[in-house]
Structure formats: structure tokens, C-alpha cells
Amino acid sequence: MTSQAVDHVALLPLYAAAATAILALLADLFAGRRAVTITATLLGALATGVTALAVGPWDPTFCVPGGCSWVPSWPAAVTAALFAGLTAGVLALSVPALRLGTAPAGEFCFLLACSMTGGVTVAYAGDLLTLIVGLETLTLPLYVLVGLRRFAPGERTTTDAASASVTFFLISVISTAIALLGIALNYAATGAVHLALLGPAPAPFAALAGVGAALLVIGLSFKVAAVPLHAWAPATYDGAPVPIAAYLSTASKLGGVLALAAVAARLDTSVVVAVLAVLTMTVGNLVALRQTRMVRLLAWSSMAQAGYILAALALGAPGVPAALAYAVFLMVLELIAFGVVVALRPAAADGGTLDDFRGAARRHPWLGAALVLALAGLAGLPPGLAGLFAKVSVVEALVAEGWIWLAGVVVVNAVIALAYYVRVGALLYAPGAPVARPVARPVAAALVATTIVAVVLGFAPQLLLGAF
């Protein structure tokens, strides 16, 4: 038996994320003040992102001949920093509700930091088992965070939050079981779990490996709310606190995209992923056309956006850079959209109906402009240049690899999506402005920072594309 050396420098981002969760608990235990707990968690999240970028590409650790379980690289560092940034942004959006006592700050911050730790693990995972462990660590705290919401007087009952949490949990358990079965079948056929060792199975086991790869992709598709494991998303988003819905639509979805990209780049899953892409973007866009609640519309829109990412992943390794870049652009734009919803609604309230946002831009012009920027980006139109470059990168990758028909499906769905994006944008400037409300400073700071990032990426997308 040989001992295995552990490179602790490579693990520093994970240590920082885990320390943030512990720090949140200790701050709540010894200080007992909400502001101290939130500030400690926020600083820990920012330190995690800085640590990931400072370590950058490093020697992998937990290695066996041919593969490693922890693989630091620039894409891993960028995505780990993005997980940390999303955590900090969602925490800032949650401050007004936490001040009202809608959830205990200590538990809230601890669970959010634990979820961030799972995201960092996914970013650096070098084998399928570490990937699954990271995804579950990312997702498990969210079951509780979704159900933590207590509604203010006049809002809907807590049954919605409990139902959303249970639905999310049950479908997640089923999807994880499917993914684990896929890993087991693939291991039986190839004897490999490390990503570097994945590849075609020997001829006698090719069919078994194909079934395993298909089941693995279907199980992981839950994380991005892809068809057929998509029904949980609208109810869960709408029943959760709006900032947690934002986290589900950004960080949780990013984890799923990373996992799918790792599998699609190494296994022959093009047919399955292409079918999932077409169904996901089409169902998402068509159902979004009929939505009357803001968060449900954003949920179905987010599902359609995941379909575009899957379209790039159908190409296998050649489509991974475009898919990951699209995912990052999407995370930034989604956080802006949900952040504006938080800013325009009363603290701790749900996302409201579309009519609740009628004329909002007349009283809050800057917030209206930010939401229009996010919607334009999601639609792939100027001035949302980040979203425009994201869609162009996916279509270019599909055309370059000869997948003209799938590129056409992406374009058609993008045109369909214009209907509901334009409808929401028009409502913001329609007559009948709602009562103006002050915007909490943490929410405003998060929105300003995220909007700046979106604008920078829009004008200099090569900064992101170069990382992948």
C-alpha cells in the first residue's frame, strides 16, 4: 500500500469555501448579530473567489495512474470565482428579507456557504464521483433554503414554499439515482471514473457504455431543468424566496452545465443531448409565452436558455467552450433580472405578477434600464451585448461543425422568445406606475456590480472566451 501526497495549495479554494460556512456558524454563535454574520459570510465568499484566481492553474492532486480527482486549471478557477461571486450577490439580495426575520441569518448564511462549497468542488472535479458529490453538496442546502420562506401578511401561504421544497427534493433524488446508475454502467463497461480516462468502451461493452452515458446525461439534466426532468423548476422558483430562486437559476444551473460539459466532452452523447436541447428550448419558450407571474416566466426562460447551452454541448468537445461561455453570460444576466425583481418588490414578498411591474421603469428608471438590459441580453439583442455574443458563439460553433439544422432550431426559438421578453419590457414603461419604494443599499450594490460585469463582458467577450 502506497501513501498519496496531498497538495494543499491546490485545495485552497475548497478550504476557503468550507471555512466560510464554518465562519458563518461561529459568527452567529459568538456575535449573535445578524449584520456580523452576513458580513463575515460575504467576506468569506469574496475571499474564496480571490483565492481561486490567485491559485489559478496548479498541480492536480488525489491522483492515480492516468487521472486525478482534483484538477486546478484556469476554467476551474474562473468558475469557482463565479460561484463565489454569485453567492455574494444572492446574499446581498437577501439582506432586506433577513432584516425582517424571514429566516434565521446564521442558518441561511451557513447553508448558502455550504452550497458554494459544492459549487467549488464541481469546478475542480476530475472524476465522476467527485462531480456527483459536488453537485449534491451544491443542491442539498437549497432544499432547506427553498422552504425557509415565511410569507408576510397578505401573501400566499407557507404551503407554497413547503410544496416547492418537497417537489425539488423528490425529483432531485430520482435524478441523482439515474445519474449514479449511469456511472455504474459506464464503469462496468470501461472501468473508468476519472474524466481523463473516459472514452469509448471495448466493442463487447459498447452498448452498455452507451446506455450508461445516456442515463448519466439524463440524470444530470435535472440540474439545468432540461426536459424531461424540468417540471420542478417553475413551482420551486415561484415558491422559494426570490433571491434563492436567483441562486437556483444561476449557481445551481452552472453546476449542472459544468457536469454535463465534462461528460459530453468525453463520451458519445451527441444524440441524447441534441434531443434534450431541442425539447428543452422549445418547451421552455412556448410555455413562457403563457406565463402571468414574473418568477415563473423567468424560470421557463431560464429553462429555454439551458436548451441553447445543451445545443452547444451536443457537439461534444468542440462545443464546450461556447457552452461554458454562454453559461457564464447567462448567469450574469439572470442575476440582474432577479435582482431587479427583488428591488421592485416589497422585502420578503414573492415575485408577483407581470401586472405588478406595470410602469415600474417610470418610477425607477435605473432599475427599469437594468432589467431591459438583462432581458435584451437573454433575447440576444443589443444593448445586451453579452447575450448577443453568447448566442452568436453557439450558432457559430454549430455551423462550423455542420449542425445546420440544430443552429436553425436555436434561431427559431430565439425569435419565439422575443415575444415574452418584449412584452415584459413594454410593461415596464406602460402607464400605471406602481408606488415607488426605496431600494436597499446591498441590493443596489449587487445590481450595480453585476451590471458592470455584464457590460464589460458584452464589450470584451474575449476576456471570458479566452478562459475556456
Side-chain angles (χ1 to χ4, degrees), residues 132-167:
I132 289 293
V133 169
L135 282 173
E136 291 308 301
T137 307
L138 170 63
T139 306
L140 281 171
L142 299 179
Y143 305 148
V144 182
L145 288 172
V146 166
L148 274 181
R149 176 177 168 191
R150 298 190 202 121
F151 290 92
E155 296 286 345
R156 293 180 296 164
T157 65
T158 55
T159 304
D160 294 303
S163 175
S165 182
V166 171
T167 300

PDB file of all heavy atoms in Angstrom, residues 132-167:
ATOM      1  N   ILE A 132     -20.356  14.152  -8.706  1.00  0.00           N
ATOM      2  CA  ILE A 132     -21.662  13.903  -8.099  1.00  0.00           C
ATOM      3  C   ILE A 132     -21.702  14.419  -6.664  1.00  0.00           C
ATOM      4  O   ILE A 132     -22.685  15.037  -6.228  1.00  0.00           O
ATOM      5  CB  ILE A 132     -21.993  12.399  -8.137  1.00  0.00           C
ATOM      6  CG1 ILE A 132     -22.281  11.959  -9.574  1.00  0.00           C
ATOM      7  CG2 ILE A 132     -23.195  12.083  -7.249  1.00  0.00           C
ATOM      8  CD1 ILE A 132     -23.537  12.551 -10.175  1.00  0.00           C
ATOM      9  N   VAL A 133     -20.627  14.184  -5.904  1.00  0.00           N
ATOM     10  CA  VAL A 133     -20.566  14.683  -4.527  1.00  0.00           C
ATOM     11  C   VAL A 133     -20.666  16.205  -4.502  1.00  0.00           C
ATOM     12  O   VAL A 133     -21.382  16.799  -3.678  1.00  0.00           O
ATOM     13  CB  VAL A 133     -19.267  14.209  -3.838  1.00  0.00           C
ATOM     14  CG1 VAL A 133     -19.061  14.934  -2.500  1.00  0.00           C
ATOM     15  CG2 VAL A 133     -19.303  12.709  -3.603  1.00  0.00           C
ATOM     16  N   GLY A 134     -19.955  16.869  -5.422  1.00  0.00           N
ATOM     17  CA  GLY A 134     -20.025  18.313  -5.501  1.00  0.00           C
ATOM     18  C   GLY A 134     -21.420  18.803  -5.857  1.00  0.00           C
ATOM     19  O   GLY A 134     -21.929  19.765  -5.253  1.00  0.00           O
ATOM     20  N   LEU A 135     -22.051  18.158  -6.818  1.00  0.00           N
ATOM     21  CA  LEU A 135     -23.403  18.553  -7.212  1.00  0.00           C
ATOM     22  C   LEU A 135     -24.392  18.390  -6.069  1.00  0.00           C
ATOM     23  O   LEU A 135     -25.260  19.248  -5.843  1.00  0.00           O
ATOM     24  CB  LEU A 135     -23.863  17.736  -8.417  1.00  0.00           C
ATOM     25  CG  LEU A 135     -23.326  18.150  -9.782  1.00  0.00           C
ATOM     26  CD1 LEU A 135     -23.733  17.135 -10.840  1.00  0.00           C
ATOM     27  CD2 LEU A 135     -23.822  19.534 -10.162  1.00  0.00           C
ATOM     28  N   GLU A 136     -24.276  17.292  -5.330  1.00  0.00           N
ATOM     29  CA  GLU A 136     -25.197  17.081  -4.214  1.00  0.00           C
ATOM     30  C   GLU A 136     -24.935  18.065  -3.077  1.00  0.00           C
ATOM     31  O   GLU A 136     -25.866  18.533  -2.425  1.00  0.00           O
ATOM     32  CB  GLU A 136     -25.086  15.641  -3.708  1.00  0.00           C
ATOM     33  CG  GLU A 136     -25.616  14.619  -4.695  1.00  0.00           C
ATOM     34  CD  GLU A 136     -27.020  14.942  -5.167  1.00  0.00           C
ATOM     35  OE1 GLU A 136     -27.931  15.034  -4.323  1.00  0.00           O
ATOM     36  OE2 GLU A 136     -27.219  15.113  -6.375  1.00  0.00           O
ATOM     37  N   THR A 137     -23.666  18.392  -2.838  1.00  0.00           N
ATOM     38  CA  THR A 137     -23.350  19.405  -1.830  1.00  0.00           C
ATOM     39  C   THR A 137     -23.863  20.772  -2.261  1.00  0.00           C
ATOM     40  O   THR A 137     -24.301  21.573  -1.426  1.00  0.00           O
ATOM     41  CB  THR A 137     -21.831  19.469  -1.599  1.00  0.00           C
ATOM     42  OG1 THR A 137     -21.336  18.165  -1.298  1.00  0.00           O
ATOM     43  CG2 THR A 137     -21.497  20.401  -0.444  1.00  0.00           C
ATOM     44  N   LEU A 138     -23.835  21.035  -3.552  1.00  0.00           N
ATOM     45  CA  LEU A 138     -24.397  22.283  -4.075  1.00  0.00           C
ATOM     46  C   LEU A 138     -25.904  22.324  -3.923  1.00  0.00           C
ATOM     47  O   LEU A 138     -26.490  23.367  -3.607  1.00  0.00           O
ATOM     48  CB  LEU A 138     -24.001  22.406  -5.561  1.00  0.00           C
ATOM     49  CG  LEU A 138     -24.659  23.509  -6.398  1.00  0.00           C
ATOM     50  CD1 LEU A 138     -24.288  24.882  -5.868  1.00  0.00           C
ATOM     51  CD2 LEU A 138     -24.257  23.383  -7.859  1.00  0.00           C
ATOM     52  N   THR A 139     -26.555  21.189  -4.103  1.00  0.00           N
ATOM     53  CA  THR A 139     -28.017  21.152  -4.158  1.00  0.00           C
ATOM     54  C   THR A 139     -28.681  20.941  -2.800  1.00  0.00           C
ATOM     55  O   THR A 139     -29.720  21.544  -2.521  1.00  0.00           O
ATOM     56  CB  THR A 139     -28.465  20.031  -5.123  1.00  0.00           C
ATOM     57  OG1 THR A 139     -27.829  20.215  -6.385  1.00  0.00           O
ATOM     58  CG2 THR A 139     -29.968  20.049  -5.312  1.00  0.00           C
ATOM     59  N   LEU A 140     -28.108  20.084  -1.946  1.00  0.00           N
ATOM     60  CA  LEU A 140     -28.769  19.722  -0.691  1.00  0.00           C
ATOM     61  C   LEU A 140     -29.160  20.930   0.167  1.00  0.00           C
ATOM     62  O   LEU A 140     -30.285  20.982   0.677  1.00  0.00           O
ATOM     63  CB  LEU A 140     -27.875  18.769   0.108  1.00  0.00           C
ATOM     64  CG  LEU A 140     -27.883  17.304  -0.338  1.00  0.00           C
ATOM     65  CD1 LEU A 140     -26.799  16.511   0.384  1.00  0.00           C
ATOM     66  CD2 LEU A 140     -29.246  16.673  -0.072  1.00  0.00           C
ATOM     67  N   PRO A 141     -28.287  21.925   0.376  1.00  0.00           N
ATOM     68  CA  PRO A 141     -28.707  23.071   1.189  1.00  0.00           C
ATOM     69  C   PRO A 141     -29.878  23.843   0.583  1.00  0.00           C
ATOM     70  O   PRO A 141     -30.645  24.490   1.301  1.00  0.00           O
ATOM     71  CB  PRO A 141     -27.446  23.945   1.241  1.00  0.00           C
ATOM     72  CG  PRO A 141     -26.317  23.024   0.953  1.00  0.00           C
ATOM     73  CD  PRO A 141     -26.875  22.027  -0.020  1.00  0.00           C
ATOM     74  N   LEU A 142     -30.015  23.757  -0.736  1.00  0.00           N
ATOM     75  CA  LEU A 142     -31.080  24.512  -1.392  1.00  0.00           C
ATOM     76  C   LEU A 142     -32.457  23.951  -1.076  1.00  0.00           C
ATOM     77  O   LEU A 142     -33.451  24.682  -1.127  1.00  0.00           O
ATOM     78  CB  LEU A 142     -30.847  24.535  -2.907  1.00  0.00           C
ATOM     79  CG  LEU A 142     -29.546  25.206  -3.351  1.00  0.00           C
ATOM     80  CD1 LEU A 142     -29.398  25.157  -4.862  1.00  0.00           C
ATOM     81  CD2 LEU A 142     -29.489  26.645  -2.868  1.00  0.00           C
ATOM     82  N   TYR A 143     -32.548  22.640  -0.768  1.00  0.00           N
ATOM     83  CA  TYR A 143     -33.847  22.089  -0.365  1.00  0.00           C
ATOM     84  C   TYR A 143     -34.377  22.849   0.848  1.00  0.00           C
ATOM     85  O   TYR A 143     -35.566  23.164   0.940  1.00  0.00           O
ATOM     86  CB  TYR A 143     -33.731  20.608   0.005  1.00  0.00           C
ATOM     87  CG  TYR A 143     -33.140  19.710  -1.036  1.00  0.00           C
ATOM     88  CD1 TYR A 143     -32.394  18.594  -0.670  1.00  0.00           C
ATOM     89  CD2 TYR A 143     -33.329  19.953  -2.388  1.00  0.00           C
ATOM     90  CE1 TYR A 143     -31.848  17.747  -1.623  1.00  0.00           C
ATOM     91  CE2 TYR A 143     -32.784  19.115  -3.342  1.00  0.00           C
ATOM     92  CZ  TYR A 143     -32.043  18.012  -2.953  1.00  0.00           C
ATOM     93  OH  TYR A 143     -31.507  17.187  -3.901  1.00  0.00           O
ATOM     94  N   VAL A 144     -33.491  23.131   1.791  1.00  0.00           N
ATOM     95  CA  VAL A 144     -33.889  23.827   3.012  1.00  0.00           C
ATOM     96  C   VAL A 144     -34.098  25.316   2.735  1.00  0.00           C
ATOM     97  O   VAL A 144     -35.074  25.915   3.205  1.00  0.00           O
ATOM     98  CB  VAL A 144     -32.832  23.637   4.110  1.00  0.00           C
ATOM     99  CG1 VAL A 144     -33.271  24.311   5.410  1.00  0.00           C
ATOM    100  CG2 VAL A 144     -32.571  22.153   4.348  1.00  0.00           C
ATOM    101  N   LEU A 145     -33.206  25.913   1.972  1.00  0.00           N
ATOM    102  CA  LEU A 145     -33.323  27.348   1.691  1.00  0.00           C
ATOM    103  C   LEU A 145     -34.622  27.669   0.949  1.00  0.00           C
ATOM    104  O   LEU A 145     -35.228  28.717   1.173  1.00  0.00           O
ATOM    105  CB  LEU A 145     -32.120  27.818   0.869  1.00  0.00           C
ATOM    106  CG  LEU A 145     -30.791  27.888   1.632  1.00  0.00           C
ATOM    107  CD1 LEU A 145     -29.651  28.173   0.669  1.00  0.00           C
ATOM    108  CD2 LEU A 145     -30.855  28.959   2.715  1.00  0.00           C
ATOM    109  N   VAL A 146     -35.046  26.778   0.065  1.00  0.00           N
ATOM    110  CA  VAL A 146     -36.308  26.993  -0.653  1.00  0.00           C
ATOM    111  C   VAL A 146     -37.472  27.028   0.326  1.00  0.00           C
ATOM    112  O   VAL A 146     -38.408  27.821   0.183  1.00  0.00           O
ATOM    113  CB  VAL A 146     -36.516  25.888  -1.714  1.00  0.00           C
ATOM    114  CG1 VAL A 146     -37.959  25.894  -2.226  1.00  0.00           C
ATOM    115  CG2 VAL A 146     -35.553  26.085  -2.877  1.00  0.00           C
ATOM    116  N   GLY A 147     -37.436  26.188   1.357  1.00  0.00           N
ATOM    117  CA  GLY A 147     -38.541  26.101   2.300  1.00  0.00           C
ATOM    118  C   GLY A 147     -38.445  27.038   3.481  1.00  0.00           C
ATOM    119  O   GLY A 147     -39.324  27.024   4.356  1.00  0.00           O
ATOM    120  N   LEU A 148     -37.392  27.887   3.539  1.00  0.00           N
ATOM    121  CA  LEU A 148     -37.222  28.768   4.701  1.00  0.00           C
ATOM    122  C   LEU A 148     -38.155  29.976   4.685  1.00  0.00           C
ATOM    123  O   LEU A 148     -38.264  30.683   5.671  1.00  0.00           O
ATOM    124  CB  LEU A 148     -35.778  29.281   4.763  1.00  0.00           C
ATOM    125  CG  LEU A 148     -34.763  28.398   5.478  1.00  0.00           C
ATOM    126  CD1 LEU A 148     -33.399  29.074   5.461  1.00  0.00           C
ATOM    127  CD2 LEU A 148     -35.183  28.149   6.916  1.00  0.00           C
ATOM    128  N   ARG A 149     -38.794  30.212   3.561  1.00  0.00           N
ATOM    129  CA  ARG A 149     -39.566  31.442   3.409  1.00  0.00           C
ATOM    130  C   ARG A 149     -40.804  31.468   4.291  1.00  0.00           C
ATOM    131  O   ARG A 149     -41.577  30.532   4.334  1.00  0.00           O
ATOM    132  CB  ARG A 149     -39.972  31.574   1.942  1.00  0.00           C
ATOM    133  CG  ARG A 149     -40.863  32.741   1.628  1.00  0.00           C
ATOM    134  CD  ARG A 149     -41.068  32.723   0.135  1.00  0.00           C
ATOM    135  NE  ARG A 149     -42.115  33.627  -0.265  1.00  0.00           N
ATOM    136  CZ  ARG A 149     -42.628  33.645  -1.478  1.00  0.00           C
ATOM    137  NH1 ARG A 149     -42.205  32.791  -2.367  1.00  0.00           N
ATOM    138  NH2 ARG A 149     -43.564  34.486  -1.787  1.00  0.00           N
ATOM    139  N   ARG A 150     -40.973  32.576   5.000  1.00  0.00           N
ATOM    140  CA  ARG A 150     -42.218  32.832   5.711  1.00  0.00           C
ATOM    141  C   ARG A 150     -42.855  34.046   5.050  1.00  0.00           C
ATOM    142  O   ARG A 150     -42.232  35.096   4.951  1.00  0.00           O
ATOM    143  CB  ARG A 150     -41.949  33.142   7.189  1.00  0.00           C
ATOM    144  CG  ARG A 150     -41.305  32.018   7.953  1.00  0.00           C
ATOM    145  CD  ARG A 150     -41.338  32.379   9.421  1.00  0.00           C
ATOM    146  NE  ARG A 150     -40.311  31.623  10.135  1.00  0.00           N
ATOM    147  CZ  ARG A 150     -39.330  32.182  10.822  1.00  0.00           C
ATOM    148  NH1 ARG A 150     -39.228  33.493  10.887  1.00  0.00           N
ATOM    149  NH2 ARG A 150     -38.455  31.437  11.445  1.00  0.00           N
ATOM    150  N   PHE A 151     -44.101  33.917   4.641  1.00  0.00           N
ATOM    151  CA  PHE A 151     -44.726  34.997   3.888  1.00  0.00           C
ATOM    152  C   PHE A 151     -45.247  36.090   4.812  1.00  0.00           C
ATOM    153  O   PHE A 151     -45.749  35.821   5.900  1.00  0.00           O
ATOM    154  CB  PHE A 151     -45.884  34.453   3.045  1.00  0.00           C
ATOM    155  CG  PHE A 151     -45.417  33.603   1.910  1.00  0.00           C
ATOM    156  CD1 PHE A 151     -45.284  32.231   2.055  1.00  0.00           C
ATOM    157  CD2 PHE A 151     -45.084  34.174   0.712  1.00  0.00           C
ATOM    158  CE1 PHE A 151     -44.848  31.451   1.021  1.00  0.00           C
ATOM    159  CE2 PHE A 151     -44.647  33.399  -0.343  1.00  0.00           C
ATOM    160  CZ  PHE A 151     -44.518  32.037  -0.187  1.00  0.00           C
ATOM    161  N   ALA A 152     -45.129  37.308   4.345  1.00  0.00           N
ATOM    162  CA  ALA A 152     -45.675  38.447   5.079  1.00  0.00           C
ATOM    163  C   ALA A 152     -47.193  38.413   5.005  1.00  0.00           C
ATOM    164  O   ALA A 152     -47.776  37.748   4.160  1.00  0.00           O
ATOM    165  CB  ALA A 152     -45.139  39.746   4.477  1.00  0.00           C
ATOM    166  N   PRO A 153     -47.876  39.132   5.904  1.00  0.00           N
ATOM    167  CA  PRO A 153     -49.335  39.157   5.864  1.00  0.00           C
ATOM    168  C   PRO A 153     -49.837  39.589   4.492  1.00  0.00           C
ATOM    169  O   PRO A 153     -49.321  40.532   3.896  1.00  0.00           O
ATOM    170  CB  PRO A 153     -49.691  40.200   6.930  1.00  0.00           C
ATOM    171  CG  PRO A 153     -48.544  40.175   7.878  1.00  0.00           C
ATOM    172  CD  PRO A 153     -47.332  39.902   7.031  1.00  0.00           C
ATOM    173  N   GLY A 154     -50.837  38.878   4.017  1.00  0.00           N
ATOM    174  CA  GLY A 154     -51.399  39.198   2.705  1.00  0.00           C
ATOM    175  C   GLY A 154     -50.780  38.419   1.579  1.00  0.00           C
ATOM    176  O   GLY A 154     -51.289  38.425   0.471  1.00  0.00           O
ATOM    177  N   GLU A 155     -49.646  37.739   1.847  1.00  0.00           N
ATOM    178  CA  GLU A 155     -49.027  36.939   0.801  1.00  0.00           C
ATOM    179  C   GLU A 155     -49.623  35.535   0.805  1.00  0.00           C
ATOM    180  O   GLU A 155     -50.413  35.169   1.651  1.00  0.00           O
ATOM    181  CB  GLU A 155     -47.508  36.862   1.038  1.00  0.00           C
ATOM    182  CG  GLU A 155     -46.819  38.215   0.925  1.00  0.00           C
ATOM    183  CD  GLU A 155     -46.706  38.684  -0.505  1.00  0.00           C
ATOM    184  OE1 GLU A 155     -46.902  37.856  -1.412  1.00  0.00           O
ATOM    185  OE2 GLU A 155     -46.453  39.877  -0.705  1.00  0.00           O
ATOM    186  N   ARG A 156     -49.175  34.728  -0.124  1.00  0.00           N
ATOM    187  CA  ARG A 156     -49.666  33.363  -0.181  1.00  0.00           C
ATOM    188  C   ARG A 156     -49.153  32.575   1.022  1.00  0.00           C
ATOM    189  O   ARG A 156     -48.216  32.963   1.691  1.00  0.00           O
ATOM    190  CB  ARG A 156     -49.215  32.713  -1.489  1.00  0.00           C
ATOM    191  CG  ARG A 156     -49.878  33.340  -2.695  1.00  0.00           C
ATOM    192  CD  ARG A 156     -49.402  32.660  -3.957  1.00  0.00           C
ATOM    193  NE  ARG A 156     -47.974  32.877  -4.138  1.00  0.00           N
ATOM    194  CZ  ARG A 156     -47.228  32.157  -4.961  1.00  0.00           C
ATOM    195  NH1 ARG A 156     -47.760  31.176  -5.633  1.00  0.00           N
ATOM    196  NH2 ARG A 156     -45.943  32.413  -5.088  1.00  0.00           N
ATOM    197  N   THR A 157     -49.730  31.444   1.280  1.00  0.00           N
ATOM    198  CA  THR A 157     -49.414  30.680   2.479  1.00  0.00           C
ATOM    199  C   THR A 157     -48.084  29.976   2.348  1.00  0.00           C
ATOM    200  O   THR A 157     -47.534  29.820   1.263  1.00  0.00           O
ATOM    201  CB  THR A 157     -50.500  29.618   2.751  1.00  0.00           C
ATOM    202  OG1 THR A 157     -50.470  28.671   1.689  1.00  0.00           O
ATOM    203  CG2 THR A 157     -51.863  30.254   2.825  1.00  0.00           C
ATOM    204  N   THR A 158     -47.546  29.511   3.495  1.00  0.00           N
ATOM    205  CA  THR A 158     -46.276  28.810   3.504  1.00  0.00           C
ATOM    206  C   THR A 158     -46.374  27.448   2.831  1.00  0.00           C
ATOM    207  O   THR A 158     -45.357  26.801   2.623  1.00  0.00           O
ATOM    208  CB  THR A 158     -45.789  28.626   4.956  1.00  0.00           C
ATOM    209  OG1 THR A 158     -46.824  27.970   5.688  1.00  0.00           O
ATOM    210  CG2 THR A 158     -45.498  29.965   5.590  1.00  0.00           C
ATOM    211  N   THR A 159     -47.589  27.006   2.514  1.00  0.00           N
ATOM    212  CA  THR A 159     -47.734  25.735   1.807  1.00  0.00           C
ATOM    213  C   THR A 159     -46.978  25.753   0.489  1.00  0.00           C
ATOM    214  O   THR A 159     -46.419  24.744   0.059  1.00  0.00           O
ATOM    215  CB  THR A 159     -49.227  25.444   1.553  1.00  0.00           C
ATOM    216  OG1 THR A 159     -49.910  25.466   2.800  1.00  0.00           O
ATOM    217  CG2 THR A 159     -49.409  24.091   0.898  1.00  0.00           C
ATOM    218  N   ASP A 160     -46.935  26.914  -0.180  1.00  0.00           N
ATOM    219  CA  ASP A 160     -46.242  27.026  -1.459  1.00  0.00           C
ATOM    220  C   ASP A 160     -44.755  26.732  -1.296  1.00  0.00           C
ATOM    221  O   ASP A 160     -44.161  26.023  -2.099  1.00  0.00           O
ATOM    222  CB  ASP A 160     -46.441  28.413  -2.055  1.00  0.00           C
ATOM    223  CG  ASP A 160     -47.889  28.660  -2.435  1.00  0.00           C
ATOM    224  OD1 ASP A 160     -48.429  27.884  -3.222  1.00  0.00           O
ATOM    225  OD2 ASP A 160     -48.475  29.622  -1.923  1.00  0.00           O
ATOM    226  N   ALA A 161     -44.155  27.300  -0.238  1.00  0.00           N
ATOM    227  CA  ALA A 161     -42.735  27.077  -0.001  1.00  0.00           C
ATOM    228  C   ALA A 161     -42.459  25.614   0.334  1.00  0.00           C
ATOM    229  O   ALA A 161     -41.500  25.019  -0.164  1.00  0.00           O
ATOM    230  CB  ALA A 161     -42.242  27.990   1.126  1.00  0.00           C
ATOM    231  N   ALA A 162     -43.287  25.020   1.195  1.00  0.00           N
ATOM    232  CA  ALA A 162     -43.087  23.621   1.564  1.00  0.00           C
ATOM    233  C   ALA A 162     -43.267  22.712   0.352  1.00  0.00           C
ATOM    234  O   ALA A 162     -42.488  21.774   0.136  1.00  0.00           O
ATOM    235  CB  ALA A 162     -44.068  23.236   2.668  1.00  0.00           C
ATOM    236  N   SER A 163     -44.294  22.986  -0.449  1.00  0.00           N
ATOM    237  CA  SER A 163     -44.537  22.181  -1.647  1.00  0.00           C
ATOM    238  C   SER A 163     -43.381  22.299  -2.630  1.00  0.00           C
ATOM    239  O   SER A 163     -42.950  21.311  -3.223  1.00  0.00           O
ATOM    240  CB  SER A 163     -45.844  22.623  -2.307  1.00  0.00           C
ATOM    241  OG  SER A 163     -46.051  21.953  -3.527  1.00  0.00           O
ATOM    242  N   ALA A 164     -42.878  23.524  -2.805  1.00  0.00           N
ATOM    243  CA  ALA A 164     -41.746  23.733  -3.715  1.00  0.00           C
ATOM    244  C   ALA A 164     -40.521  22.965  -3.243  1.00  0.00           C
ATOM    245  O   ALA A 164     -39.817  22.337  -4.036  1.00  0.00           O
ATOM    246  CB  ALA A 164     -41.435  25.224  -3.805  1.00  0.00           C
ATOM    247  N   SER A 165     -40.270  22.996  -1.927  1.00  0.00           N
ATOM    248  CA  SER A 165     -39.107  22.307  -1.380  1.00  0.00           C
ATOM    249  C   SER A 165     -39.214  20.796  -1.555  1.00  0.00           C
ATOM    250  O   SER A 165     -38.259  20.127  -1.963  1.00  0.00           O
ATOM    251  CB  SER A 165     -38.959  22.658   0.103  1.00  0.00           C
ATOM    252  OG  SER A 165     -37.827  22.042   0.656  1.00  0.00           O
ATOM    253  N   VAL A 166     -40.389  20.238  -1.258  1.00  0.00           N
ATOM    254  CA  VAL A 166     -40.576  18.786  -1.367  1.00  0.00           C
ATOM    255  C   VAL A 166     -40.485  18.336  -2.823  1.00  0.00           C
ATOM    256  O   VAL A 166     -39.863  17.313  -3.144  1.00  0.00           O
ATOM    257  CB  VAL A 166     -41.926  18.373  -0.749  1.00  0.00           C
ATOM    258  CG1 VAL A 166     -42.231  16.917  -1.053  1.00  0.00           C
ATOM    259  CG2 VAL A 166     -41.902  18.602   0.757  1.00  0.00           C
ATOM    260  N   THR A 167     -41.095  19.103  -3.733  1.00  0.00           N
ATOM    261  CA  THR A 167     -41.028  18.767  -5.162  1.00  0.00           C
ATOM    262  C   THR A 167     -39.582  18.752  -5.637  1.00  0.00           C
ATOM    263  O   THR A 167     -39.137  17.826  -6.343  1.00  0.00           O
ATOM    264  CB  THR A 167     -41.844  19.779  -5.983  1.00  0.00           C
ATOM    265  OG1 THR A 167     -43.197  19.755  -5.556  1.00  0.00           O
ATOM    266  CG2 THR A 167     -41.777  19.448  -7.465  1.00  0.00           C
TER     267      THR A 167
END
